[in-house]
Amino acid sequence: MPQATAAVADPADESSPDRRAAARAEATGSDFAPLLRAARDQGLLERRTDRYALGIAANLAALGVVVTGFVLLGDTWWSLLLTLPLAVLWTRTAFVAHDAGHAQISADRRTSRLIALVHANLLLGMNEAWWNDKHVRHHANPNHVDKDPDVGVGALVWTQKQAEQREGFARWLTRNQARLFFPMLLLEGIALKIYGFQFLRRQPLRERAVSALLLTAHFALYATLLFSTLSPGKAIVFALVLHALFGLHLGLAFAPNHKGMEMPDPDGERWGHLQRQVLTSRNVRGGVLTDWFLGGLNYQIEHHLFPSMPRPHLRLAQPLVRAHCAGIGMPYTETGLIESYRQALAHMHDVGEPLR
C-alpha cells in the first residue's frame, strides 16, 4: 500500500512524484497546471477526515445491524433476503478501501494502509495489495492496451486486435461478450478473492504475512458465522448469492468509467496528464442517489485528474474541470447511467464483431 499510495498520490502531495511533475508542468505552462492551481486554491485537495470517519462508522454500524439480524433469524431461507443489503454494504466497504488506497482519507501512509487492510482484507477477504498494484497501473495509463491491466486480455478483450487472437472457448466468449458481461459480473465477487490469494506470493515476506493473516481471519470468521447459523446447504447458497450480488454491484460501479472511451495508440504520441485522463474517462450524471450508488466514481474524470481528492469534493471540482476543458477545446464526456452502460456494451459488441 505505501508504494501504491505514493504512485497514485495527487499532485497536492508535496512529497509525491506527481507533485514534482505538476511543478514542472506549471513551469512549462501545461494545460493541467491552471486547473491544479484552481483546485488547490479552493481547498479541494484538503482531506475530509471528519466526513470519512462518520461514513466509516455508519457503514460499520449498518454491517453490525445486518449481521445481528442474520443471527437472530437463525436457520431459515428467509436469511437470503439479507444478502442484498449486505452486498450493498460490502460495496460501501470496498469504496472505503479504494479511497484509502488513494490517500483520500488521510495523508499518513500507515493510517491509509491500516484502513485499507481492515476494510479490504479483513472485512471483504480481498487483498488490498493486489488491488493497489493493479489500480496504480490503471491510473497511470488508463485504457492503454500495453500498460493498463484493466484493458489487458482476460475473460474479456477490449480491442479487435486482441479478439483476433482468441481461440476455442475464448473465441466464443469474445463473440458474445457484450450479452455475457452482466452475467459474468456475478462471478466477480469470488474472482476478486482468488486474485488476492494468488498475489500473496508476489508480496514481500512481511507484507505477505500481514495480508495472509487478515485474509485467513476473514474466511475463518465468515465461515464460522455462516455454518454456526445456517445448515450447510443454506450457508453455501447464502455465500454464493451474496458474492454474486457483491460482484454485480461492484461491476455496475466500475463498468461505466472507461469502457468505450478513447484508447491511446501505443505507437503514437504520448499524451499529457490532462489529455490522458480526460479523454479516456466518462462521467455519469445524476443526483445524490447516483453519487451514493457509484461511490463517487461517477465523477471519474475528476477522480483521475486528482486521485487523492476526497470523494465529497469531486462533485465540487466538476464545474472547474468542465469549464477548463471547454476553454481549451477538450472533449468532456458525461452521460446518464443507462447510456453509460449502453456505450460500454456497444464497445464490447463491436470488439467481437469480426468473430461473428
Side-chain angles (χ1 to χ4, degrees):
M1 168 71 80
Q3 67 271 24
T5 301
V8 184
D10 192 274
D13 182 353
E14 297 290 341
S15 64
S16 73
D18 284 345
R19 179 63 185 91
R20 293 191 292 272
R24 291 194 296 270
E26 292 189 70
T28 58
S30 79
D31 289 337
F32 178 60
L35 186 57
L36 172 62
R37 287 195 297 270
R40 185 187 294 122
D41 291 345
Q42 292 193 20
L44 298 178
L45 301 178
E46 298 175 5
R47 269 66 176 192
R48 290 293 305 276
T49 305
D50 55 343
R51 177 79 171 267
Y52 273 106
L54 289 174
I56 290 172
N59 187 64
L60 292 176
L63 280 170
V65 169
V66 174
V67 171
T68 300
F70 173 77
V71 173
L72 292 177
L73 277 176
D75 187 15
T76 172
W77 287 110
W78 289 107
S79 295
L80 289 176
L81 294 177
L82 296 178
T83 56
L84 181 58
L86 192 53
V88 170
L89 293 173
W90 268 19
T91 306
R92 308 300 109 194
T93 303
F95 289 153
V96 172
H98 167 271
D99 293 359
H102 279 295
Q104 293 179 19
I105 302 173
S106 172
D108 182 76
R109 294 180 180 182
R110 290 188 176 184
T111 300
S112 295
R113 183 163 190 250
L114 178 61
I115 294 172
L117 281 170
V118 169
H119 285 77
N121 293 50
L122 182 60
L123 294 180
L124 297 179
M126 187 178 77
N127 192 342
E128 56 83 30
W130 164 76
W131 171 259
N132 274 313
D133 174 79
K134 176 176 176 288
H135 205 54
V136 164
R137 289 181 283 135
H138 161 69
H139 265 266
N141 293 281
N143 268 14
H144 192 296
V145 293
D146 292 338
K147 299 178 180 179
D148 182 359
D150 286 357
V151 291
V153 175
L156 305 174
V157 294
W158 308 103
T159 69
Q160 292 189 351
K161 183 177 179 180
Q162 292 173 335
E164 292 169 357
Q165 302 170 6
R166 305 285 264 185
E167 297 179 353
F169 175 72
R171 188 177 181 87
W172 175 86
L173 189 63
T174 298
R175 195 162 57 237
N176 299 282
Q177 64 180 10
R179 70 184 66 176
L180 293 174
F181 177 67
F182 287 114
M184 289 174 67
L185 287 180
L186 299 175
L187 302 175
E188 188 65 14
I190 295 175
L192 292 174
K193 297 191 175 186
I194 294 174
Y195 297 148
F197 269 97
Q198 292 174 336
F199 190 78
L200 285 173
R201 61 177 178 268
R202 294 179 51 187
Q203 295 180 246
L205 183 59
R206 184 174 179 180
E207 182 181 302
R208 183 193 313 163
V210 173
S211 295
L213 177 64
L214 291 174
L215 290 175
T216 303
H218 166 82
F219 282 99
L221 293 170
Y222 184 60
T224 299
L225 177 64
L226 283 184
F227 288 99
S228 64
T229 305
L230 301 176
S231 64
K234 293 189 185 74
I236 292 172
V237 172
F238 185 96
L240 291 175
V241 173
L242 172 57
H243 282 81
L245 293 175
F246 174 54
L248 180 62
H249 191 354
L250 274 182
L252 290 173
F254 284 94
N257 301 338
H258 303 281
K259 309 312 179 191
M261 295 301 297
E262 291 281 348
M263 301 185 74
D265 182 355
D267 301 318
E269 180 182 357
R270 181 171 174 81
W271 293 355
H273 179 68
L274 188 73
Q275 186 179 21
R276 186 165 62 248
Q277 305 299 343
V278 173
L279 297 185
T280 62
S281 302
R282 175 193 297 112
N283 275 18
V284 177
R285 72 173 64 94
V288 175
L289 183 60
T290 302
D291 291 0
W292 176 85
F293 179 72
L294 298 180
L297 296 176
N298 47 313
Y299 302 104
Q300 189 68 193
I301 295 173
E302 289 71 27
H303 172 55
H304 263 256
L305 287 172
F306 306 102
S308 69
M309 180 179 287
R311 194 192 315 172
H313 289 173
L314 293 174
R315 66 180 180 85
L316 303 178
Q318 186 182 37
L320 287 177
V321 177
R322 186 193 287 119
H324 182 73
C325 289
I328 63 174
M330 180 172 290
Y332 180 98
T333 302
E334 185 178 25
T335 71
L337 182 61
I338 302 302
E339 175 62 16
S340 72
Y341 294 139
R342 190 201 66 77
Q343 291 182 12
L345 292 175
H347 173 72
M348 285 185 273
H349 181 77
D350 290 343
V351 167
E353 180 64 31
L355 305 186
R356 291 191 292 274

